[in-house]
Each structure stands twice: as structure tokens, then as C-alpha cells.
Amino acid sequence: MILGVAGLGLIGGSFARAYKEAGHTVYAHDTDSTILGYAMLNGTVDKALTFDNIKECDLLLICTYIKAAAEYFQEAAPHIDRHTVVIDCLGVKKNICRLGFALAEKYGFTYVGGHPMAGTQYSGFKHSRANLFHNAPMVLVPPKYDDIEFLDGIKKLLEPAGFGKLSVTTAEEHDRMIGFTSQMAHIVSNAYIKSPTAGSHKGFSAGSYKDLTRVARLNPKMWAELFMDNKEYVLQELDWMIGYLDEYRQAILADDEEELTRILKEGSDRKISIDG
């Protein structure tokens, strides 16, 4: 198989490493020639991905930031061969899927929206690794949902990455859920660490602090683009969060221990009912 990777950050770099380790040929593109050069020098990438050789790819993975992904996809689309399957790996789906399905129809290749549910608080090719996706979920937004043979073909193309489960959904449902499970978690963590008290936490913090602040360290530009692209659902989650936080504040301000106990139990019960 010939894999094409556009964007050699944490995600694209990890895909490149995984497929190369599995014995496949890897072409890659990155706007930073130093990163591309290093990836070729260490053997992860066989050849630079260009619009001249992109037609040779069996699978093309777009792993750049949102705005760059849309621009690259539109420029690359006329050069993509009909046998090639294109999967974007962006953290939001609605807008990129709308573009991807339109381009696929116009130029005759196959496009599937994708979101590998794996990562770390670190970014960049230097933190990529071949086993990043091992047993992780991969969310897919296919052009057709009832074609088992088609989905099985996509599964086979993704096998070298080592995903544990492939989930199929719509772009709308993906963005609604990811606004809560991922994007909101990053906002809360990033806001929490801004407390003036945080600077003197050492010696007073343990698991709770580590759990809540793990994703406070993030790639600001990338996450800003993700939040803005999913504005509707991010704002919805933020409004709910602000409302619930105000309930705690009001109960404490009013010395209402009974009400505070009630809303704390409400949250605890909710966690148990959802996750056991």
C-alpha cells in the first residue's frame, strides 16, 4: 500500500510511523521542510508527497489544521486518482465533510470523514509514535452507512494503525458529542490552571490536580480553530457549564449547605448513572 500523509504533526507523524513500521510505502507533505526532511532522513517517509505523485496513493490522510486542511484538499482534489481513498483526521467534521463529499463527487475519488480518538498533551512530529492509535477508537463519517463491504474496505485500509474500534456516525452527531467529550474538557482544564493559586500548588496537589490539568497544555492555534469551527456546540456546552457553576457559587455564598449537598449529590449520581 502507498500511504499519503498531508501534515506531519503528532497525528500525521504517528500514522506515517505506523504504516512504515507495517511495511508500507509512505509519501508525506508538510509546510515545514525541516520536519519533512527529518522524517525522510530517519526513514519514516519514503518520498515527498506532491501533486504529481499523489495519484499513486491508495490512502491519503489529511492531518493538518482545519483551515490548512480545507485549502490543501481543494488544491489537491483535481490530482487525486479515482482509486484513492481520502480520509481527513480533523477533530470536527461538519464543514470538512461537506467539502470532502462535494470534492469526491466532482473528481470521482472516495472520501470518508475521520477522527482518530487518540493523542497526548504534546504536539509535533517529535512526539509522534507508531503505536499512538493502538486499541484507540476511530470515528468515521462515510458517504454511505449501510454498505458493509465498503466499510470493511475502509477498515482494511486502516488496519496498520491498530485501531481498537471503528465507530460510524454523522458529521452533526460527531460534532455535538465531541463538543462535550473533548473540546469542553480542554476549555475547562485550560481555564482552571489560570487560577492565581496554581503557581504554589506543589506539595498540595495529587491525582485530582493532575487529572484536571492534563490537557491544559495544548496547541493554542489548533484548538482555537477547532472551537471556532464547532462554535454552536461549544457555546451550548459553555452555557450549561457556566449555569451549573453558578449554582455551586450561589449555594456557597448563601451558606446553604443543604442545597450544596443536593447539587453535589446530583453530580455524583449523574456520574454513576452514566459510567457506573
Side-chain angles (χ1 to χ4, degrees), residues 220-250:
K221 178 174 171 51
M222 182 188 79
W223 281 99
E225 287 192 16
L226 289 169
F227 296 151
M228 295 304 292
D229 202 70
N230 201 25
K231 179 179 178 179
E232 175 187 356
Y233 292 118
V234 170
L235 286 175
Q236 177 178 276
E237 293 294 338
L238 272 171
D239 288 343
W240 285 337
M241 174 64 75
I242 291 167
Y244 290 132
L245 287 175
D246 191 57
E247 288 183 4
Y248 294 97
R249 186 181 189 282
Q250 292 302 323

PDB file of all heavy atoms in Angstrom, residues 220-250:
ATOM      1  N   PRO A 220      -2.430  26.042  21.084  1.00  0.00           N
ATOM      2  CA  PRO A 220      -3.450  27.103  21.074  1.00  0.00           C
ATOM      3  C   PRO A 220      -4.076  27.367  19.715  1.00  0.00           C
ATOM      4  O   PRO A 220      -5.299  27.495  19.612  1.00  0.00           O
ATOM      5  CB  PRO A 220      -2.681  28.334  21.569  1.00  0.00           C
ATOM      6  CG  PRO A 220      -1.528  27.795  22.331  1.00  0.00           C
ATOM      7  CD  PRO A 220      -1.148  26.529  21.623  1.00  0.00           C
ATOM      8  N   LYS A 221      -3.263  27.442  18.674  1.00  0.00           N
ATOM      9  CA  LYS A 221      -3.810  27.744  17.339  1.00  0.00           C
ATOM     10  C   LYS A 221      -4.724  26.628  16.856  1.00  0.00           C
ATOM     11  O   LYS A 221      -5.823  26.883  16.339  1.00  0.00           O
ATOM     12  CB  LYS A 221      -2.673  27.977  16.344  1.00  0.00           C
ATOM     13  CG  LYS A 221      -3.160  28.247  14.917  1.00  0.00           C
ATOM     14  CD  LYS A 221      -2.040  28.623  13.985  1.00  0.00           C
ATOM     15  CE  LYS A 221      -2.476  28.681  12.535  1.00  0.00           C
ATOM     16  NZ  LYS A 221      -3.678  29.491  12.317  1.00  0.00           N
ATOM     17  N   MET A 222      -4.294  25.394  17.019  1.00  0.00           N
ATOM     18  CA  MET A 222      -5.090  24.266  16.557  1.00  0.00           C
ATOM     19  C   MET A 222      -6.432  24.199  17.288  1.00  0.00           C
ATOM     20  O   MET A 222      -7.488  24.058  16.667  1.00  0.00           O
ATOM     21  CB  MET A 222      -4.337  22.951  16.765  1.00  0.00           C
ATOM     22  CG  MET A 222      -5.101  21.732  16.262  1.00  0.00           C
ATOM     23  SD  MET A 222      -4.305  20.169  16.712  1.00  0.00           S
ATOM     24  CE  MET A 222      -4.822  20.010  18.435  1.00  0.00           C
ATOM     25  N   TRP A 223      -6.384  24.333  18.618  1.00  0.00           N
ATOM     26  CA  TRP A 223      -7.616  24.224  19.392  1.00  0.00           C
ATOM     27  C   TRP A 223      -8.535  25.418  19.173  1.00  0.00           C
ATOM     28  O   TRP A 223      -9.769  25.276  19.181  1.00  0.00           O
ATOM     29  CB  TRP A 223      -7.302  24.018  20.872  1.00  0.00           C
ATOM     30  CG  TRP A 223      -6.924  22.591  21.136  1.00  0.00           C
ATOM     31  CD1 TRP A 223      -5.667  22.078  21.259  1.00  0.00           C
ATOM     32  CD2 TRP A 223      -7.810  21.482  21.244  1.00  0.00           C
ATOM     33  NE1 TRP A 223      -5.716  20.720  21.451  1.00  0.00           N
ATOM     34  CE2 TRP A 223      -7.025  20.330  21.454  1.00  0.00           C
ATOM     35  CE3 TRP A 223      -9.207  21.356  21.198  1.00  0.00           C
ATOM     36  CZ2 TRP A 223      -7.583  19.058  21.607  1.00  0.00           C
ATOM     37  CZ3 TRP A 223      -9.765  20.087  21.360  1.00  0.00           C
ATOM     38  CH2 TRP A 223      -8.960  18.959  21.557  1.00  0.00           C
ATOM     39  N   ALA A 224      -7.969  26.590  18.952  1.00  0.00           N
ATOM     40  CA  ALA A 224      -8.810  27.760  18.654  1.00  0.00           C
ATOM     41  C   ALA A 224      -9.590  27.519  17.359  1.00  0.00           C
ATOM     42  O   ALA A 224     -10.795  27.827  17.277  1.00  0.00           O
ATOM     43  CB  ALA A 224      -7.952  29.017  18.535  1.00  0.00           C
ATOM     44  N   GLU A 225      -8.926  26.961  16.349  1.00  0.00           N
ATOM     45  CA  GLU A 225      -9.609  26.659  15.094  1.00  0.00           C
ATOM     46  C   GLU A 225     -10.701  25.608  15.302  1.00  0.00           C
ATOM     47  O   GLU A 225     -11.795  25.707  14.726  1.00  0.00           O
ATOM     48  CB  GLU A 225      -8.608  26.170  14.045  1.00  0.00           C
ATOM     49  CG  GLU A 225      -7.721  27.280  13.483  1.00  0.00           C
ATOM     50  CD  GLU A 225      -6.937  26.829  12.251  1.00  0.00           C
ATOM     51  OE1 GLU A 225      -7.290  25.779  11.659  1.00  0.00           O
ATOM     52  OE2 GLU A 225      -5.973  27.531  11.878  1.00  0.00           O
ATOM     53  N   LEU A 226     -10.413  24.603  16.120  1.00  0.00           N
ATOM     54  CA  LEU A 226     -11.410  23.564  16.398  1.00  0.00           C
ATOM     55  C   LEU A 226     -12.634  24.137  17.104  1.00  0.00           C
ATOM     56  O   LEU A 226     -13.780  23.834  16.744  1.00  0.00           O
ATOM     57  CB  LEU A 226     -10.785  22.460  17.262  1.00  0.00           C
ATOM     58  CG  LEU A 226      -9.762  21.549  16.582  1.00  0.00           C
ATOM     59  CD1 LEU A 226      -9.045  20.698  17.607  1.00  0.00           C
ATOM     60  CD2 LEU A 226     -10.434  20.661  15.544  1.00  0.00           C
ATOM     61  N   PHE A 227     -12.398  24.969  18.109  1.00  0.00           N
ATOM     62  CA  PHE A 227     -13.520  25.563  18.857  1.00  0.00           C
ATOM     63  C   PHE A 227     -14.372  26.447  17.947  1.00  0.00           C
ATOM     64  O   PHE A 227     -15.603  26.404  17.994  1.00  0.00           O
ATOM     65  CB  PHE A 227     -13.005  26.402  20.033  1.00  0.00           C
ATOM     66  CG  PHE A 227     -12.271  25.606  21.090  1.00  0.00           C
ATOM     67  CD1 PHE A 227     -11.276  26.212  21.856  1.00  0.00           C
ATOM     68  CD2 PHE A 227     -12.563  24.278  21.317  1.00  0.00           C
ATOM     69  CE1 PHE A 227     -10.597  25.495  22.833  1.00  0.00           C
ATOM     70  CE2 PHE A 227     -11.884  23.549  22.299  1.00  0.00           C
ATOM     71  CZ  PHE A 227     -10.902  24.166  23.048  1.00  0.00           C
ATOM     72  N   MET A 228     -13.724  27.242  17.127  1.00  0.00           N
ATOM     73  CA  MET A 228     -14.465  28.153  16.259  1.00  0.00           C
ATOM     74  C   MET A 228     -15.249  27.391  15.191  1.00  0.00           C
ATOM     75  O   MET A 228     -16.359  27.790  14.826  1.00  0.00           O
ATOM     76  CB  MET A 228     -13.512  29.157  15.605  1.00  0.00           C
ATOM     77  CG  MET A 228     -12.834  30.109  16.596  1.00  0.00           C
ATOM     78  SD  MET A 228     -13.997  31.045  17.612  1.00  0.00           S
ATOM     79  CE  MET A 228     -14.744  32.103  16.377  1.00  0.00           C
ATOM     80  N   ASP A 229     -14.687  26.295  14.714  1.00  0.00           N
ATOM     81  CA  ASP A 229     -15.367  25.519  13.686  1.00  0.00           C
ATOM     82  C   ASP A 229     -16.577  24.779  14.256  1.00  0.00           C
ATOM     83  O   ASP A 229     -17.492  24.411  13.511  1.00  0.00           O
ATOM     84  CB  ASP A 229     -14.406  24.506  13.061  1.00  0.00           C
ATOM     85  CG  ASP A 229     -14.848  24.060  11.680  1.00  0.00           C
ATOM     86  OD1 ASP A 229     -14.783  24.883  10.760  1.00  0.00           O
ATOM     87  OD2 ASP A 229     -15.275  22.900  11.532  1.00  0.00           O
ATOM     88  N   ASN A 230     -16.578  24.571  15.571  1.00  0.00           N
ATOM     89  CA  ASN A 230     -17.684  23.879  16.235  1.00  0.00           C
ATOM     90  C   ASN A 230     -18.395  24.821  17.208  1.00  0.00           C
ATOM     91  O   ASN A 230     -18.870  24.414  18.268  1.00  0.00           O
ATOM     92  CB  ASN A 230     -17.160  22.646  16.985  1.00  0.00           C
ATOM     93  CG  ASN A 230     -18.245  21.627  17.242  1.00  0.00           C
ATOM     94  OD1 ASN A 230     -19.241  21.557  16.528  1.00  0.00           O
ATOM     95  ND2 ASN A 230     -18.069  20.832  18.285  1.00  0.00           N
ATOM     96  N   LYS A 231     -18.452  26.068  16.830  1.00  0.00           N
ATOM     97  CA  LYS A 231     -18.938  27.152  17.687  1.00  0.00           C
ATOM     98  C   LYS A 231     -20.288  26.870  18.332  1.00  0.00           C
ATOM     99  O   LYS A 231     -20.487  27.109  19.532  1.00  0.00           O
ATOM    100  CB  LYS A 231     -19.011  28.434  16.850  1.00  0.00           C
ATOM    101  CG  LYS A 231     -19.520  29.657  17.585  1.00  0.00           C
ATOM    102  CD  LYS A 231     -19.525  30.855  16.628  1.00  0.00           C
ATOM    103  CE  LYS A 231     -20.070  32.103  17.315  1.00  0.00           C
ATOM    104  NZ  LYS A 231     -20.057  33.269  16.386  1.00  0.00           N
ATOM    105  N   GLU A 232     -21.232  26.371  17.563  1.00  0.00           N
ATOM    106  CA  GLU A 232     -22.592  26.148  18.065  1.00  0.00           C
ATOM    107  C   GLU A 232     -22.599  25.236  19.283  1.00  0.00           C
ATOM    108  O   GLU A 232     -23.204  25.550  20.318  1.00  0.00           O
ATOM    109  CB  GLU A 232     -23.455  25.535  16.958  1.00  0.00           C
ATOM    110  CG  GLU A 232     -24.857  25.161  17.406  1.00  0.00           C
ATOM    111  CD  GLU A 232     -25.630  24.409  16.339  1.00  0.00           C
ATOM    112  OE1 GLU A 232     -25.106  24.240  15.213  1.00  0.00           O
ATOM    113  OE2 GLU A 232     -26.760  23.976  16.630  1.00  0.00           O
ATOM    114  N   TYR A 233     -21.924  24.101  19.180  1.00  0.00           N
ATOM    115  CA  TYR A 233     -21.961  23.124  20.271  1.00  0.00           C
ATOM    116  C   TYR A 233     -21.041  23.509  21.422  1.00  0.00           C
ATOM    117  O   TYR A 233     -21.327  23.209  22.584  1.00  0.00           O
ATOM    118  CB  TYR A 233     -21.617  21.733  19.744  1.00  0.00           C
ATOM    119  CG  TYR A 233     -22.685  21.189  18.822  1.00  0.00           C
ATOM    120  CD1 TYR A 233     -22.417  20.887  17.494  1.00  0.00           C
ATOM    121  CD2 TYR A 233     -23.994  21.012  19.282  1.00  0.00           C
ATOM    122  CE1 TYR A 233     -23.407  20.407  16.654  1.00  0.00           C
ATOM    123  CE2 TYR A 233     -24.992  20.543  18.452  1.00  0.00           C
ATOM    124  CZ  TYR A 233     -24.693  20.241  17.138  1.00  0.00           C
ATOM    125  OH  TYR A 233     -25.688  19.775  16.307  1.00  0.00           O
ATOM    126  N   VAL A 234     -19.935  24.183  21.132  1.00  0.00           N
ATOM    127  CA  VAL A 234     -19.041  24.647  22.195  1.00  0.00           C
ATOM    128  C   VAL A 234     -19.749  25.689  23.067  1.00  0.00           C
ATOM    129  O   VAL A 234     -19.687  25.642  24.302  1.00  0.00           O
ATOM    130  CB  VAL A 234     -17.736  25.226  21.613  1.00  0.00           C
ATOM    131  CG1 VAL A 234     -16.927  25.921  22.698  1.00  0.00           C
ATOM    132  CG2 VAL A 234     -16.899  24.119  20.975  1.00  0.00           C
ATOM    133  N   LEU A 235     -20.449  26.620  22.433  1.00  0.00           N
ATOM    134  CA  LEU A 235     -21.184  27.638  23.186  1.00  0.00           C
ATOM    135  C   LEU A 235     -22.303  27.013  24.012  1.00  0.00           C
ATOM    136  O   LEU A 235     -22.562  27.427  25.156  1.00  0.00           O
ATOM    137  CB  LEU A 235     -21.758  28.690  22.239  1.00  0.00           C
ATOM    138  CG  LEU A 235     -20.751  29.678  21.651  1.00  0.00           C
ATOM    139  CD1 LEU A 235     -21.424  30.592  20.637  1.00  0.00           C
ATOM    140  CD2 LEU A 235     -20.090  30.505  22.755  1.00  0.00           C
ATOM    141  N   GLN A 236     -22.963  26.012  23.455  1.00  0.00           N
ATOM    142  CA  GLN A 236     -24.015  25.319  24.196  1.00  0.00           C
ATOM    143  C   GLN A 236     -23.469  24.675  25.461  1.00  0.00           C
ATOM    144  O   GLN A 236     -24.041  24.817  26.555  1.00  0.00           O
ATOM    145  CB  GLN A 236     -24.637  24.245  23.301  1.00  0.00           C
ATOM    146  CG  GLN A 236     -25.705  23.398  23.959  1.00  0.00           C
ATOM    147  CD  GLN A 236     -26.289  22.388  22.983  1.00  0.00           C
ATOM    148  OE1 GLN A 236     -27.186  22.720  22.219  1.00  0.00           O
ATOM    149  NE2 GLN A 236     -25.777  21.169  22.992  1.00  0.00           N
ATOM    150  N   GLU A 237     -22.334  23.967  25.321  1.00  0.00           N
ATOM    151  CA  GLU A 237     -21.716  23.327  26.483  1.00  0.00           C
ATOM    152  C   GLU A 237     -21.210  24.363  27.489  1.00  0.00           C
ATOM    153  O   GLU A 237     -21.329  24.176  28.706  1.00  0.00           O
ATOM    154  CB  GLU A 237     -20.572  22.419  26.032  1.00  0.00           C
ATOM    155  CG  GLU A 237     -20.995  21.202  25.235  1.00  0.00           C
ATOM    156  CD  GLU A 237     -21.823  20.215  26.044  1.00  0.00           C
ATOM    157  OE1 GLU A 237     -21.745  20.229  27.291  1.00  0.00           O
ATOM    158  OE2 GLU A 237     -22.544  19.412  25.428  1.00  0.00           O
ATOM    159  N   LEU A 238     -20.643  25.454  27.004  1.00  0.00           N
ATOM    160  CA  LEU A 238     -20.164  26.510  27.896  1.00  0.00           C
ATOM    161  C   LEU A 238     -21.304  27.133  28.692  1.00  0.00           C
ATOM    162  O   LEU A 238     -21.168  27.383  29.896  1.00  0.00           O
ATOM    163  CB  LEU A 238     -19.450  27.595  27.088  1.00  0.00           C
ATOM    164  CG  LEU A 238     -17.957  27.407  26.830  1.00  0.00           C
ATOM    165  CD1 LEU A 238     -17.460  28.445  25.835  1.00  0.00           C
ATOM    166  CD2 LEU A 238     -17.173  27.504  28.136  1.00  0.00           C
ATOM    167  N   ASP A 239     -22.415  27.381  28.042  1.00  0.00           N
ATOM    168  CA  ASP A 239     -23.570  27.966  28.724  1.00  0.00           C
ATOM    169  C   ASP A 239     -24.078  27.042  29.818  1.00  0.00           C
ATOM    170  O   ASP A 239     -24.428  27.492  30.927  1.00  0.00           O
ATOM    171  CB  ASP A 239     -24.685  28.276  27.728  1.00  0.00           C
ATOM    172  CG  ASP A 239     -24.367  29.464  26.836  1.00  0.00           C
ATOM    173  OD1 ASP A 239     -23.446  30.229  27.187  1.00  0.00           O
ATOM    174  OD2 ASP A 239     -25.028  29.627  25.791  1.00  0.00           O
ATOM    175  N   TRP A 240     -24.138  25.744  29.521  1.00  0.00           N
ATOM    176  CA  TRP A 240     -24.564  24.794  30.549  1.00  0.00           C
ATOM    177  C   TRP A 240     -23.583  24.784  31.713  1.00  0.00           C
ATOM    178  O   TRP A 240     -23.991  24.812  32.883  1.00  0.00           O
ATOM    179  CB  TRP A 240     -24.664  23.388  29.952  1.00  0.00           C
ATOM    180  CG  TRP A 240     -25.881  23.185  29.089  1.00  0.00           C
ATOM    181  CD1 TRP A 240     -27.054  23.892  29.131  1.00  0.00           C
ATOM    182  CD2 TRP A 240     -26.040  22.219  28.051  1.00  0.00           C
ATOM    183  NE1 TRP A 240     -27.929  23.429  28.179  1.00  0.00           N
ATOM    184  CE2 TRP A 240     -27.339  22.399  27.497  1.00  0.00           C
ATOM    185  CE3 TRP A 240     -25.228  21.219  27.520  1.00  0.00           C
ATOM    186  CZ2 TRP A 240     -27.832  21.603  26.458  1.00  0.00           C
ATOM    187  CZ3 TRP A 240     -25.717  20.429  26.484  1.00  0.00           C
ATOM    188  CH2 TRP A 240     -26.997  20.625  25.967  1.00  0.00           C
ATOM    189  N   MET A 241     -22.287  24.752  31.407  1.00  0.00           N
ATOM    190  CA  MET A 241     -21.271  24.711  32.448  1.00  0.00           C
ATOM    191  C   MET A 241     -21.321  25.952  33.335  1.00  0.00           C
ATOM    192  O   MET A 241     -21.272  25.857  34.568  1.00  0.00           O
ATOM    193  CB  MET A 241     -19.881  24.579  31.813  1.00  0.00           C
ATOM    194  CG  MET A 241     -18.721  24.682  32.799  1.00  0.00           C
ATOM    195  SD  MET A 241     -18.687  23.351  34.004  1.00  0.00           S
ATOM    196  CE  MET A 241     -18.080  22.005  32.989  1.00  0.00           C
ATOM    197  N   ILE A 242     -21.434  27.112  32.736  1.00  0.00           N
ATOM    198  CA  ILE A 242     -21.492  28.364  33.492  1.00  0.00           C
ATOM    199  C   ILE A 242     -22.714  28.376  34.405  1.00  0.00           C
ATOM    200  O   ILE A 242     -22.658  28.812  35.568  1.00  0.00           O
ATOM    201  CB  ILE A 242     -21.506  29.573  32.535  1.00  0.00           C
ATOM    202  CG1 ILE A 242     -20.130  29.700  31.850  1.00  0.00           C
ATOM    203  CG2 ILE A 242     -21.844  30.865  33.272  1.00  0.00           C
ATOM    204  CD1 ILE A 242     -20.111  30.656  30.674  1.00  0.00           C
ATOM    205  N   GLY A 243     -23.834  27.867  33.902  1.00  0.00           N
ATOM    206  CA  GLY A 243     -25.052  27.803  34.712  1.00  0.00           C
ATOM    207  C   GLY A 243     -24.889  26.900  35.918  1.00  0.00           C
ATOM    208  O   GLY A 243     -25.292  27.255  37.035  1.00  0.00           O
ATOM    209  N   TYR A 244     -24.276  25.725  35.712  1.00  0.00           N
ATOM    210  CA  TYR A 244     -24.076  24.794  36.827  1.00  0.00           C
ATOM    211  C   TYR A 244     -23.069  25.339  37.831  1.00  0.00           C
ATOM    212  O   TYR A 244     -23.247  25.214  39.055  1.00  0.00           O
ATOM    213  CB  TYR A 244     -23.607  23.435  36.301  1.00  0.00           C
ATOM    214  CG  TYR A 244     -24.681  22.675  35.554  1.00  0.00           C
ATOM    215  CD1 TYR A 244     -24.429  22.107  34.314  1.00  0.00           C
ATOM    216  CD2 TYR A 244     -25.956  22.531  36.098  1.00  0.00           C
ATOM    217  CE1 TYR A 244     -25.415  21.415  33.624  1.00  0.00           C
ATOM    218  CE2 TYR A 244     -26.948  21.835  35.419  1.00  0.00           C
ATOM    219  CZ  TYR A 244     -26.673  21.292  34.183  1.00  0.00           C
ATOM    220  OH  TYR A 244     -27.659  20.604  33.512  1.00  0.00           O
ATOM    221  N   LEU A 245     -21.998  25.971  37.358  1.00  0.00           N
ATOM    222  CA  LEU A 245     -21.016  26.560  38.268  1.00  0.00           C
ATOM    223  C   LEU A 245     -21.651  27.646  39.136  1.00  0.00           C
ATOM    224  O   LEU A 245     -21.326  27.781  40.319  1.00  0.00           O
ATOM    225  CB  LEU A 245     -19.840  27.142  37.473  1.00  0.00           C
ATOM    226  CG  LEU A 245     -18.871  26.135  36.853  1.00  0.00           C
ATOM    227  CD1 LEU A 245     -17.842  26.856  35.988  1.00  0.00           C
ATOM    228  CD2 LEU A 245     -18.169  25.307  37.929  1.00  0.00           C
ATOM    229  N   ASP A 246     -22.552  28.399  38.531  1.00  0.00           N
ATOM    230  CA  ASP A 246     -23.228  29.452  39.292  1.00  0.00           C
ATOM    231  C   ASP A 246     -24.098  28.871  40.400  1.00  0.00           C
ATOM    232  O   ASP A 246     -24.257  29.493  41.455  1.00  0.00           O
ATOM    233  CB  ASP A 246     -24.074  30.322  38.353  1.00  0.00           C
ATOM    234  CG  ASP A 246     -24.567  31.585  39.049  1.00  0.00           C
ATOM    235  OD1 ASP A 246     -23.705  32.350  39.547  1.00  0.00           O
ATOM    236  OD2 ASP A 246     -25.792  31.792  39.117  1.00  0.00           O
ATOM    237  N   GLU A 247     -24.664  27.691  40.186  1.00  0.00           N
ATOM    238  CA  GLU A 247     -25.450  27.038  41.234  1.00  0.00           C
ATOM    239  C   GLU A 247     -24.583  26.748  42.463  1.00  0.00           C
ATOM    240  O   GLU A 247     -24.995  26.974  43.604  1.00  0.00           O
ATOM    241  CB  GLU A 247     -26.053  25.731  40.715  1.00  0.00           C
ATOM    242  CG  GLU A 247     -27.185  25.910  39.724  1.00  0.00           C
ATOM    243  CD  GLU A 247     -27.783  24.573  39.307  1.00  0.00           C
ATOM    244  OE1 GLU A 247     -27.347  23.522  39.853  1.00  0.00           O
ATOM    245  OE2 GLU A 247     -28.677  24.572  38.438  1.00  0.00           O
ATOM    246  N   TYR A 248     -23.375  26.234  42.234  1.00  0.00           N
ATOM    247  CA  TYR A 248     -22.452  25.961  43.340  1.00  0.00           C
ATOM    248  C   TYR A 248     -22.080  27.270  44.044  1.00  0.00           C
ATOM    249  O   TYR A 248     -22.049  27.344  45.276  1.00  0.00           O
ATOM    250  CB  TYR A 248     -21.176  25.273  42.831  1.00  0.00           C
ATOM    251  CG  TYR A 248     -21.401  23.894  42.270  1.00  0.00           C
ATOM    252  CD1 TYR A 248     -21.549  23.696  40.904  1.00  0.00           C
ATOM    253  CD2 TYR A 248     -21.457  22.782  43.107  1.00  0.00           C
ATOM    254  CE1 TYR A 248     -21.759  22.425  40.380  1.00  0.00           C
ATOM    255  CE2 TYR A 248     -21.659  21.508  42.591  1.00  0.00           C
ATOM    256  CZ  TYR A 248     -21.816  21.342  41.227  1.00  0.00           C
ATOM    257  OH  TYR A 248     -22.024  20.088  40.714  1.00  0.00           O
ATOM    258  N   ARG A 249     -21.789  28.284  43.260  1.00  0.00           N
ATOM    259  CA  ARG A 249     -21.391  29.573  43.817  1.00  0.00           C
ATOM    260  C   ARG A 249     -22.501  30.155  44.686  1.00  0.00           C
ATOM    261  O   ARG A 249     -22.251  30.639  45.807  1.00  0.00           O
ATOM    262  CB  ARG A 249     -21.035  30.550  42.695  1.00  0.00           C
ATOM    263  CG  ARG A 249     -20.468  31.872  43.206  1.00  0.00           C
ATOM    264  CD  ARG A 249     -20.142  32.833  42.071  1.00  0.00           C
ATOM    265  NE  ARG A 249     -19.420  33.982  42.564  1.00  0.00           N
ATOM    266  CZ  ARG A 249     -19.995  35.017  43.197  1.00  0.00           C
ATOM    267  NH1 ARG A 249     -21.322  35.039  43.388  1.00  0.00           N
ATOM    268  NH2 ARG A 249     -19.262  36.030  43.640  1.00  0.00           N
ATOM    269  N   GLN A 250     -23.714  30.130  44.185  1.00  0.00           N
ATOM    270  CA  GLN A 250     -24.835  30.708  44.927  1.00  0.00           C
ATOM    271  C   GLN A 250     -25.099  29.962  46.229  1.00  0.00           C
ATOM    272  O   GLN A 250     -25.400  30.575  47.265  1.00  0.00           O
ATOM    273  CB  GLN A 250     -26.100  30.712  44.048  1.00  0.00           C
ATOM    274  CG  GLN A 250     -26.043  31.658  42.859  1.00  0.00           C
ATOM    275  CD  GLN A 250     -25.791  33.100  43.269  1.00  0.00           C
ATOM    276  OE1 GLN A 250     -26.282  33.582  44.299  1.00  0.00           O
ATOM    277  NE2 GLN A 250     -24.994  33.802  42.462  1.00  0.00           N
TER     278      GLN A 250
END
